[in-house]
């Protein structure tokens, strides 16, 4: 498996899939390895995907300094990968929490990014978040699903502050456009693949400076794709649309019927949209 050395000497791994121009892919979690991304619905037919395992996950080594899991410090890992690949600029695709890292990288190194695709992004880096009521309104779009009752009751409990493990597990169906066998297998396969210590440090106090990041994005000149899933409980379309408005050259799209993993819900539509933007 290919690897490179980070700024602090930590060996970091990545998977290379497909052919064509490289597209660096940052997974979410936060701090989960890249396996759950698969081949992004067949995007490998258009680009060579460089699937990064963040430090402390997958095949990447565990760093000596746990503070290096902070999102603002992971920016240097992305820059080390760019240098390793020998590219003046990289095209970036980031999912969920990985979008926070991609946003900080673009803000700090705007000249090093070609095209940027942010897929069902987390928006903590710019200080945006959905309210509990907004999440419940999105969840109600699924009211005709056979699993809706128990899942919605668990969501109500979470919004009310009862954040138990059972409640979090019960809302899993809301993250997929279809809670079928494929979705359930994808969900189960993610168990144990996130580094919880790293996840706690990723967004620790002081990591994000939303005002400074927003100011940097105001002059960002490269093309950006911001893609939301219509029924995504995590990155609800209204918040993602507001996020897209912070990028001067953003193309905002909502994939119909999609949840948090749009390449699973409708691979053809996802690949068509993303490949056209990256072309």
């Amino acid at each position: 498996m290919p690897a490179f050395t980070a700024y602090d000497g930590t060996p970091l791994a990545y998977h290379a899939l497909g052919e064509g121009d490289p597209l660096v892919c940052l997974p979410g979690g936060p701090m989960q390895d890249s396996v759950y991304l698969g081949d992004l619905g067949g995007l490998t037919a258009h680009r060579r995907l460089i699937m990064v395992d963040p430090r402390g996950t997958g095949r990447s080594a565990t760093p000596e300094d746990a503070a290096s899991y902070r999102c603002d410090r992971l920016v240097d890992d992305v820059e080390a990968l760019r240098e390793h690949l020998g590219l003046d600029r990289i095209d970036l695709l980031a999912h969920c929490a990985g979008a926070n890292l991609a946003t900080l990288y673009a803000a700090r190194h705007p000249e090093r990014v070609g095209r940027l695709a942010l897929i069902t992004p987390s928006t903590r880096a710019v200080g945006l978040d959905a309210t509990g009521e907004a999440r419940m309104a999105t969840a109600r779009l699924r009211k005709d699903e056979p699993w809706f009752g128990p899942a919605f009751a668990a969501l109500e409990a979470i919004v009310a502050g009862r954040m138990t493990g059972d409640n979090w597990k019960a809302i899993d169906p809301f993250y997929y456009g279809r809670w079928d066998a494929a979705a359930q297998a994808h969900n189960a396969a993610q168990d144990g693949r996130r580094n919880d210590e790293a996840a706690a440090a990723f967004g620790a106090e002081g990591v994000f400076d939303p005002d400074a990041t927003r100011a940097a994005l105001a002059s960002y000149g490269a093309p950006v794709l911001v893609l939301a899933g219509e029924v995504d409980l995590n990155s609800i379309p209204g918040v993602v649309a507001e996020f897209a408005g912070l990028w001067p050259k953003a193309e905002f799209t909502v994939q119909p019927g999609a949840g948090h993993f749009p390449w699973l819900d409708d691979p053809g539509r996802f690949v068509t949209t993303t490949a056209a933007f990256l072309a």
Side-chain angles (χ1 to χ4, degrees):
M1 179 176 295
F4 64 102
T5 302
Y7 64 94
D8 61 351
T10 303
L12 303 179
Y14 61 92
H15 311 254
L17 308 174
E19 302 294 335
D21 293 334
L23 173 66
V24 173
C25 302
L26 305 178
M31 302 309 289
Q32 183 169 326
D33 67 26
S34 61
V35 171
Y36 80 95
L37 295 172
D39 66 354
L40 287 171
L43 193 57
T44 45
H46 302 270
R47 300 294 292 263
R48 181 170 179 255
L49 306 184
I50 307 298
M51 301 288 204
V52 180
D53 283 349
R55 56 179 53 219
T57 75
R59 298 294 184 89
S60 291
T62 299
E64 294 183 5
D65 181 8
S68 68
Y69 292 131
R70 291 168 51 111
C71 185
D72 53 352
R73 292 182 61 178
L74 294 174
V75 169
D76 292 329
D77 288 352
V78 179
E79 179 63 359
L81 175 58
R82 181 197 63 78
E83 294 176 349
H84 167 78
L85 295 173
L87 299 173
D88 288 335
R89 295 192 302 172
I90 52 174
D91 289 344
L92 270 175
L93 179 147
H95 176 245
C96 188
N100 293 307
L101 175 55
T103 296
L104 294 189
Y105 182 81
R108 192 182 303 176
H109 300 289
E111 76 286 354
R112 296 302 189 186
V113 183
R115 288 180 174 263
L116 176 61
L118 303 172
I119 309 303
T120 56
S122 169
T123 53
R124 291 183 65 190
V126 294
L128 292 175
D129 195 13
T131 64
E133 284 300 321
R135 294 191 198 278
M136 288 196 294
T138 300
R140 289 189 186 98
L141 298 174
R142 319 295 297 280
K143 61 184 176 60
D144 294 329
E145 298 282 0
W147 45 261
F148 177 80
F152 191 76
L155 177 62
E156 288 182 305
I158 290 170
V159 171
R162 299 191 297 277
M163 301 182 185
T164 68
D166 287 345
N167 284 337
W168 283 115
K169 191 64 181 173
I171 68 171
D172 283 345
F174 283 121
Y175 294 98
Y176 294 85
R178 296 181 306 277
W179 187 236
D180 56 13
Q184 292 174 43
H186 181 264
N187 179 263
Q190 295 183 61
D191 287 348
R193 305 200 75 98
R194 188 179 84 156
N195 182 327
D196 290 337
E197 177 191 7
F202 179 87
E205 184 176 358
V207 167
F208 299 120
D209 185 343
D211 290 341
T213 301
R214 286 172 178 245
L217 299 188
S219 60
Y220 187 80
V224 181
L225 171 68
V226 183
L227 188 150
E230 180 185 18
V231 296
D232 183 9
L233 186 68
N234 188 80
S235 307
I236 67 171
V239 171
V240 177
E242 189 176 353
F243 178 51
L246 301 177
W247 303 83
K249 293 186 177 180
E251 172 187 329
F252 174 62
T253 186
V254 178
Q255 183 170 313
H260 197 52
F261 308 95
W263 62 90
L264 294 176
D265 297 321
D266 188 340
R269 183 185 287 269
F270 174 79
V271 169
T272 296
T273 299
T274 308
F277 168 76
L278 294 169

